[in-house]
Amino acid sequence: MTIHSIHLRKLLQFCALEERTLISALKRELYQDRRKIEFPDEGGGDFYVPFWSDAKSHVVHGLDLEEATEERIAKNPVHRSRLYPLLKDGFLEWWDDEQRGTNELILPLEESVHARYNLEDFNITVKVDNLLSLQIGEDRHRIIYPYFRETPTLSPRWTRVGLWLMQTALDGFEIEDMRILDVQRGNGYSVLNYPLNGDEEAILLERCHELMTHWTQLQVENVTR
């Protein structure tokens, strides 16, 4: 089931949703799960992945993100024409600020950075991957995880939880190197502006208990219909 193997950004989205909206979102997840089982050749895929691939290529290989975004929209104008330009503008605004903030050379990190974090009590595996990983100067890093959603915005509470989970999942990097990038708004969040309080794990576990309670009940309702 989708919720048992979930990207960090989707988990943060679910955590931040109000109850009524959360129930609707979980119902959509159940429906999509059934579609994948019933129609395995139907295709599909993450709406945001093509954009993020282009954004990373812009940083790493010098891809023209303006042109790449126009090409992506031309291939699927119905679904991409509104949000892809917002993502592009937000990303470029953030990246320009990052470059202005340092005089040191910024290079892509050679090794691939990704991790899984298991919430064993709930049988949930959180995927922390598809990161933009950079080396700054000789010995500093930026490990950037994207949050794409238009709504809900990330509150300080769930930003701290996300940063804590990144720190816990990713070995070999300091939490000060890590960022959650709200792509549409061009905002990069770190412990410099959202220092951890020490209760992030407890907050996450409490919310996961609520999520799984809803998920289980919706599964039962679906089976009994």
Side-chain angles (χ1 to χ4, degrees), residues 6 10-17 22 25-26 29 207 211:
I6 187 169
K10 181 169 279 189
L11 178 61
L12 293 176
Q13 176 203 1
F14 285 167
C15 286
L17 288 172
L22 172 62
L26 292 176
E29 289 298 312
R207 187 57 168 157
L211 291 175

Side-chain angles (χ1 to χ4, degrees), residues 96-148:
D96 287 345
D97 287 343
E98 283 290 301
Q99 291 177 294
R100 283 195 297 266
T102 181
N103 293 321
E104 297 184 88
L105 184 64
I106 302 176
L107 296 170
L109 203 59
E110 290 187 6
E111 67 260 33
S112 175
V113 179
H114 56 86
R116 300 288 186 269
Y117 182 74
N118 295 318
L119 294 162
E120 295 180 357
D121 290 347
F122 305 104
N123 190 26
I124 294 175
T125 298
V126 184
K127 296 180 283 189
V128 186
D129 53 17
N130 211 354
L131 296 136
L132 174 58
S133 308
L134 305 172
Q135 180 173 321
I136 301 176
E138 293 294 328
D139 56 3
R140 294 194 298 127
H141 303 98
R142 284 285 185 274
I143 309 299
I144 298 121
Y145 185 83
Y147 180 81
F148 298 110

Side-chain angles (χ1 to χ4, degrees), residues 45-195:
D46 191 319
F47 171 82
Y48 299 99
V49 164
F51 169 81
W52 186 240
S53 176
D54 291 342
K56 291 196 297 181
S57 291
H58 174 77
V59 173
V60 175
H61 303 297
L63 178 74
D64 188 319
L65 189 58
E66 297 274 1
E67 291 184 3
T69 301
E70 290 178 3
E71 291 174 5
R72 294 288 188 186
I73 293 170
K75 292 177 182 178
N76 194 341
V78 173
H79 293 101
R80 294 173 176 169
S81 60
R82 188 178 71 86
L83 287 179
Y84 267 41
L86 297 177
L87 293 167
K88 178 258 300 178
D89 290 344
F91 182 85
L92 290 176
E93 179 182 352
W94 167 80
W95 179 234
D96 287 345
D97 287 343
E98 283 290 301
Q99 291 177 294
R100 283 195 297 266
T102 181
N103 293 321
E104 297 184 88
L105 184 64
I106 302 176
L107 296 170
L109 203 59
E110 290 187 6
E111 67 260 33
S112 175
V113 179
H114 56 86
R116 300 288 186 269
Y117 182 74
N118 295 318
L119 294 162
E120 295 180 357
D121 290 347
F122 305 104
N123 190 26
I124 294 175
T125 298
V126 184
K127 296 180 283 189
V128 186
D129 53 17
N130 211 354
L131 296 136
L132 174 58
S133 308
L134 305 172
Q135 180 173 321
I136 301 176
E138 293 294 328
D139 56 3
R140 294 194 298 127
H141 303 98
R142 284 285 185 274
I143 309 299
I144 298 121
Y145 185 83
Y147 180 81
F148 298 110
R149 293 288 175 175
E150 196 168 21
T151 58
T153 56
L154 280 178
S155 67
R157 176 187 184 92
W158 296 115
T159 299
R160 289 195 300 268
V161 168
L163 290 167
W164 171 84
L165 205 151
M166 287 180 68
Q167 176 194 34
T168 306
L170 295 170
D171 294 327
F173 299 98
E174 301 295 329
I175 192 171
E176 290 78 10
D177 297 332
M178 299 176 186
R179 302 289 186 273
I180 295 178
L181 173 61
D182 185 334
V183 179
Q184 287 196 36
R185 297 162 188 85
N187 293 328
Y189 301 125
S190 74
V191 292
L192 299 177
N193 46 15
Y194 291 101

